[in-house]
Amino acid sequence: DRRIFPQRSMTLNHTIMPKLSVWKPFENRFFQLATDERPMVFLDGKQRYAVSYHPSGTGTDFQIEPLVDLYITDLRSGKTVLWLEKQSQRLDEMSISPYGKFAAYLQDGHWQLYNFETGKHDIITNASMGQFISSLEFGGDGAYGIAGWARNGKSVLFYDQYDIWSYSFKTKKVKRLTNGRSSRCEYRVSSFCDLSVQNFDGLTDNGIDTEKELTLKGTNIFESGYYRLAPDGRITEIIRGKFRVRYL
C-alpha cells in the first residue's frame, strides 16, 4: 500500500482535508487550488504560482515518501500545467527562492534551476563537482541541501558532501567557496535563526547576505570549529579543535 490503512482512515486519502483556495476581491474571482487529486500545495516566493501534488505518489513505490507529479497553477489565470514528473517530495530536495522567480530541485542526483517567469530548466551541477546526495539508511537518498538564496538576487548557495558552492544566475557558472574535500571537513553555513519558513504544505528558504561575512561551521571526524567567509572568498578561523563545538 502507498499509505497504510490507519493513515487512509484518518484522512480518507486526503479527500476530507480543507482545500486551499484563492480569493481576489478586487477582481470578484474565487477558485480552488487544492483538489482531492492534488491536496498538497505550496507557493513560489512572490505568491504568483502554486505547486500542487498528491503525497501518495504516482504508483507502487518502496520509498518512505513516494515520487510525485508536480503541477503549477498560474494564480492570475488559474491555468494548471504539469511541471515535474516522478519528482521527490522531500523538503530537502526542493527549495523555493523567497524573492520569487526561481526554484531549485534535485533530479538524478544533480541540482536544477527552474525560472517561473520563463519556464526554463537549467542543470547547475555535474558529476565532476562532487556528490550532492547522501545514502540514507531508510527511504533512499537525501540531498545535502540548499545553503540559501543571496539577498541581492544574484546567486544560490548549495552543499555537496563537504563544501559550499555558489551558482551565479547571470554568468551561469558554479564556484566552490570552501575546500573541505581535501581535509574531509564538512562546511555548512551557520545560521542564527531558521533558514526556512512555512509555505502552506512546503517551505520557502530565507535569503542570506552574501555581500557580508558568513559564519561557517566546519566538522570532520576528529575536530569541529567556526570560521568567517569574507565576500572576497577568504576564510578566517574563529575556533577549531579536537572537541565538539556548537550553539554559537
Side-chain angles (χ1 to χ4, degrees), residues 98-99 146-159 164-166 177 188-196 205-216 229:
Y99 310 114
I146 295 290
W149 300 81
R151 288 180 185 170
N152 59 17
K154 295 181 179 179
S155 61
V156 59
L157 276 60
F158 54 94
Y159 300 124
I164 305 169
W165 298 75
S166 175
L177 304 182
R188 297 295 183 255
V189 175
S190 180
S191 64
F192 305 106
C193 60
D194 194 357
L195 281 177
S196 58
D205 285 336
N206 283 332
I208 55 178
D209 194 346
T210 56
E211 296 179 351
K212 295 182 180 179
E213 279 191 339
L214 295 180
T215 304
L216 309 182
L229 172 63

Side-chain angles (χ1 to χ4, degrees), residues 119-183:
K120 187 177 180 181
H121 302 256
D122 288 313
I123 300 175
I124 63 177
T125 62
N126 57 63
S128 65
M129 293 168 55
Q131 185 177 344
F132 299 97
I133 57 175
S134 62
S135 180
L136 303 177
E137 186 174 357
F138 302 103
D141 298 326
Y144 289 110
I146 295 290
W149 300 81
R151 288 180 185 170
N152 59 17
K154 295 181 179 179
S155 61
V156 59
L157 276 60
F158 54 94
Y159 300 124
D160 72 2
Q161 185 176 3
Y162 297 107
D163 290 305
I164 305 169
W165 298 75
S166 175
Y167 175 81
S168 168
F169 303 140
K170 183 178 181 180
T171 65
K172 295 189 176 182
K173 291 184 178 179
V174 176
K175 180 181 179 181
R176 188 168 64 175
L177 304 182
T178 57
N179 189 24
R181 179 167 295 278
S182 60
S183 60

Side-chain angles (χ1 to χ4, degrees), residues 7-241:
Q7 289 178 307
R8 298 201 307 271
S9 300
M10 289 174 61
T11 66
L12 296 184
N13 203 24
H14 296 274
T15 58
I16 61 173
M17 292 175 61
K19 301 298 190 292
L20 186 67
S21 303
V22 177
W23 176 36
K24 297 190 174 186
F26 296 106
E27 300 176 18
N28 195 28
R29 293 180 62 216
F30 178 93
F31 60 93
Q32 188 172 296
L33 280 177
T35 64
D36 288 346
E37 292 75 26
R38 298 188 305 276
M40 312 299 281
V41 179
F42 58 90
L43 305 182
D44 73 303
K46 290 186 177 178
Q47 300 190 345
R48 180 185 165 182
Y49 299 94
V51 179
S52 58
Y53 64 96
H54 199 293
S56 293
T58 57
T60 302
D61 206 316
F62 299 99
Q63 300 184 83
I64 292 176
E65 297 178 90
L67 300 179
V68 298
D69 289 343
L70 299 177
Y71 290 78
I72 286 184
T73 300
D74 188 326
L75 300 188
R76 295 181 187 177
S77 65
K79 181 180 179 181
T80 300
V81 296
L82 178 62
W83 177 32
L84 298 172
E85 294 184 87
K86 297 187 182 301
Q87 176 65 28
S88 170
Q89 61 179 301
R90 290 175 55 92
L91 295 179
D92 58 356
E93 297 186 16
M94 173 76 66
S95 179
I96 304 296
S97 165
Y99 310 114
K101 196 170 183 178
F102 293 113
Y105 62 94
L106 198 73
Q107 198 171 75
D108 298 325
H110 293 287
W111 285 105
Q112 300 200 33
L113 192 72
Y114 177 76
N115 189 319
F116 284 101
E117 296 177 0
T118 65
K120 187 177 180 181
H121 302 256
D122 288 313
I123 300 175
I124 63 177
T125 62
N126 57 63
S128 65
M129 293 168 55
Q131 185 177 344
F132 299 97
I133 57 175
S134 62
S135 180
L136 303 177
E137 186 174 357
F138 302 103
D141 298 326
Y144 289 110
I146 295 290
W149 300 81
R151 288 180 185 170
N152 59 17
K154 295 181 179 179
S155 61
V156 59
L157 276 60
F158 54 94
Y159 300 124
D160 72 2
Q161 185 176 3
Y162 297 107
D163 290 305
I164 305 169
W165 298 75
S166 175
Y167 175 81
S168 168
F169 303 140
K170 183 178 181 180
T171 65
K172 295 189 176 182
K173 291 184 178 179
V174 176
K175 180 181 179 181
R176 188 168 64 175
L177 304 182
T178 57
N179 189 24
R181 179 167 295 278
S182 60
S183 60
R184 295 186 177 273
C185 180
E186 177 189 278
Y187 286 101
R188 297 295 183 255
V189 175
S190 180
S191 64
F192 305 106
C193 60
D194 194 357
L195 281 177
S196 58
V197 294
Q198 194 68 35
N199 178 354
F200 296 97
D201 297 310
L203 297 174
T204 298
D205 285 336
N206 283 332
I208 55 178
D209 194 346
T210 56
E211 296 179 351
K212 295 182 180 179
E213 279 191 339
L214 295 180
T215 304
L216 309 182
K217 183 172 184 181
T219 307
N220 63 24
I221 193 170
F222 299 114
E223 299 179 324
S224 65
Y226 284 101
Y227 306 81
R228 292 188 182 97
L229 172 63
D232 63 6
R234 290 181 296 111
I235 296 180
T236 306
E237 179 185 311
I238 300 174
I239 183 174
R240 184 184 68 181

